[in-house]
Amino acid sequence: MTRWNDGLDEVERVSPDITDETNALPARYFTDPDVYEMEKEKVFGQYWIYAGHANCIPEVGDYYTRTIGDREIIVVRNHDDEVRAFYNVCAHRGSAMVDETPMTDPDNARRIRCPYHLWTYDLDGSLTSTPASFEDARLNPDLEDEDVAELDAGENALMEVRSDRIGPFVFVNFAEEPMSLDEQAGKMKAELEALPLEEYQLARRIVSEVECNWKTFGGNYSECDHCQANHQDWITGIALDESELEVNDYHWVLHYTHAEDVDDEMRIHDEHEAKFYYLWPNFTVNMYGTADGYGTYLIDPIDEERFQLVADYYFKDSELSEEEAEFVRTSRQLQEEDFELVERQYRGLKSGALAQAQLGPNEHTVHKFHLLAQEAYEA
């Protein structure tokens, strides 16, 4: 049952049963700035969050930065050819060490050096050197040089962030005792790792700032009841009635059957369908079924009423062919059609009229999304 802010209806928790009257998050969870501040810790500080693609840092010393909530990290390939993550915070006095460095334009460093006082770290995070002023007491008349203790390289190392991978996809987790990535990703992990994702290169990135809450777009991505009316070019090749929305513990999969068979040689996977994976809370992997490649979306919140959609496209070669460029343009058209929809929805949510929405029977993926958000808030 839809509940309005008319003083008569009260909101309730999301019911585990989609057929119950209260099957959606209260509207204020999409518009309240205090909720977004809570999400920085309860959602983005507790679950595995996508940090980037390992193929973008192929050489030892390659690194990029990533900001998640208020946490800025460095993702780097070390001397053992491992991809690891550290806070971009010097152990000396807390300075940020490297400038913002996007995954599309990574930098390379033999060491990580803080420009403030030149504390220098190896690629495994250990402290390797400090200036001479930290080794003696030349400017302090109350200390003798022999009173200055040698800095322990391990005790003064960078703070590492727990990381793990699904194929080339790097994830990080800031929780003290998180569930494993295997548990959060479920069978999605095995399905993706069975594909040769590492053989594909980042060919195009499109970043868009959208004026709505990140969960609004997440819900839109997770269903296709809106497709018939709003994606008419796309659905001409899709048999919507034969499609399936599969729900798992922390991820769901949208299976879209093509109206006609597509040449297997044109696809990274062998099934006669497009597969769109959504991994809670804000990462998708898009197996389109009509191109020899794949895409990812990062739904990256800026605040309670804005997010960035970071759309990355991977093909066999980083230089797009004419057909691949046309494919990306088609994908971009779908994004822009969705942006109009979610911004329109958010205008309505911000009006304050709606207290709690009502989901339909085929929006079980959206229902799962709302249940996970509620579970995170109450944890």
Side-chain angles (χ1 to χ4, degrees):
M1 179 180 71
T2 300
R3 296 167 185 248
W4 299 102
N5 279 321
D6 56 8
L8 300 177
D9 293 331
E10 293 185 1
V11 298
E12 297 181 20
R13 297 178 72 256
V14 183
S15 171
D17 187 345
I18 196 173
T19 65
D20 285 352
E21 287 188 349
T22 54
N23 60 10
L25 275 173
R28 76 174 187 87
Y29 287 102
F30 295 84
T31 60
D32 189 335
D34 291 339
V35 171
Y36 172 64
E37 289 302 315
M38 172 181 66
E39 287 175 340
K40 288 181 182 180
E41 182 55 40
K42 296 253 183 197
V43 175
F44 299 99
Q46 297 298 317
Y47 294 91
W48 289 94
I49 305 298
Y50 179 62
H53 201 288
N55 282 10
C56 293
I57 46 173
E59 304 297 332
V60 170
D62 286 351
Y63 72 88
Y64 57 81
T65 62
R66 170 94 163 83
T67 300
I68 301 169
D70 297 324
R71 300 171 169 99
E72 187 176 328
I73 63 173
I74 304 169
V75 181
V76 61
R77 188 175 291 274
N78 68 14
H79 293 291
D80 295 324
D81 202 33
E82 300 170 330
V83 176
R84 296 173 67 177
F86 303 93
Y87 277 94
N88 186 18
V89 178
C90 181
H92 172 215
R93 281 166 57 184
S95 174
M97 298 176 295
V98 302
D99 293 333
E100 182 178 353
T101 307
M103 188 182 78
T104 50
D105 188 22
D107 206 342
N108 184 278
R110 294 179 60 191
R111 300 284 189 272
I112 299 172
R113 172 173 289 184
C114 178
Y116 197 1
H117 294 91
L118 303 184
W119 281 38
T120 304
Y121 304 86
D122 201 349
L123 300 179
D124 64 1
S126 62
L127 182 66
T128 59
S129 67
T130 57
S133 58
F134 288 85
E135 299 171 2
D136 58 49
R138 68 184 73 175
L139 299 180
N140 189 341
D142 298 324
L143 283 180
E144 299 295 331
D145 287 351
E146 56 265 25
D147 295 329
V148 178
E150 182 179 352
L151 289 172
D152 183 277
E155 292 296 325
N156 291 279
L158 298 178
M159 185 174 182
E160 186 162 9
V161 179
R162 186 178 282 104
S163 62
D164 202 348
R165 285 169 60 172
I166 299 176
F169 303 135
V170 181
F171 292 84
V172 294
N173 194 302
F174 301 100
E176 290 185 10
E177 297 181 359
M179 73 174 81
S180 67
L181 180 57
D182 285 5
E183 180 180 353
Q184 185 174 321
K187 68 176 186 176
M188 170 183 171
K189 184 174 189 290
E191 289 181 10
L192 291 179
E193 290 185 338
L195 301 173
L197 302 180
E198 293 90 345
E199 297 177 8
Y200 292 74
Q201 302 299 318
L202 179 61
R204 179 66 58 84
R205 165 171 285 195
I206 301 175
V207 180
S208 308
E209 183 173 314
V210 188
E211 294 184 358
C212 75
N213 184 267
W214 68 276
K215 297 186 295 298
T216 311
F217 186 86
N220 176 84
Y221 178 95
S222 300
E223 52 88 4
C224 208
D225 279 5
H226 70 278
C227 293
Q228 189 76 44
N230 297 280
H231 298 317
Q232 294 183 6
D233 288 345
W234 182 66
I235 64 169
T236 57
I238 298 294
L240 284 179
D241 291 343
E242 299 177 19
S243 298
E244 175 192 353
L245 305 183
E246 170 196 343
V247 176
N248 298 280
D249 288 345
Y250 294 96
H251 82 276
W252 39 98
V253 190
L254 289 73
H255 302 255
Y256 294 128
T257 302
H258 289 282
E260 298 180 1
D261 286 345
V262 179
D263 185 354
D264 282 345
E265 293 181 358
M266 287 297 293
R267 295 175 300 179
I268 190 176
H269 61 103
D270 295 330
E271 301 179 31
H272 296 277
E273 64 180 0
K275 273 184 155 182
F276 293 78
Y277 294 86
Y278 193 112
L279 178 63
W280 166 262
N282 66 329
F283 179 63
T284 82
V285 181
N286 311 316
M287 314 300 301
Y288 298 102
T290 54
D292 186 16
Y294 61 93
T296 64
Y297 287 172
L298 175 64
I299 307 166
D300 205 13
I302 299 171
D303 52 32
E304 74 281 359
E305 57 185 8
R306 294 177 301 155
F307 76 92
Q308 278 191 336
L309 183 71
V310 182
D312 290 332
Y313 297 90
Y314 296 86
F315 295 100
K316 284 287 191 178
D317 193 288
S318 59
E319 296 295 325
L320 290 176
S321 68
E322 184 176 335
E323 291 81 4
E324 290 165 349
E326 179 59 31
F327 177 84
V328 172
R329 283 192 290 271
T330 300
S331 176
R332 178 60 179 172
Q333 177 184 332
L334 289 172
Q335 292 168 27
E336 291 175 343
E337 291 167 353
D338 279 335
F339 295 161
E340 181 178 352
L341 296 175
V342 295
E343 289 183 341
R344 181 184 296 272
Q345 180 190 0
Y346 200 66
R347 279 170 49 203
L349 289 171
K350 287 199 300 181
S351 74
L354 185 69
Q356 193 162 13
Q358 177 69 53
L359 298 178
N362 295 307
E363 295 178 313
H364 49 298
T365 44
V366 184
H367 178 243
K368 182 64 175 182
F369 186 99
H370 288 203
L371 281 172
L372 288 173
Q374 178 175 267
E375 177 186 295
Y377 300 158
E378 295 178 349

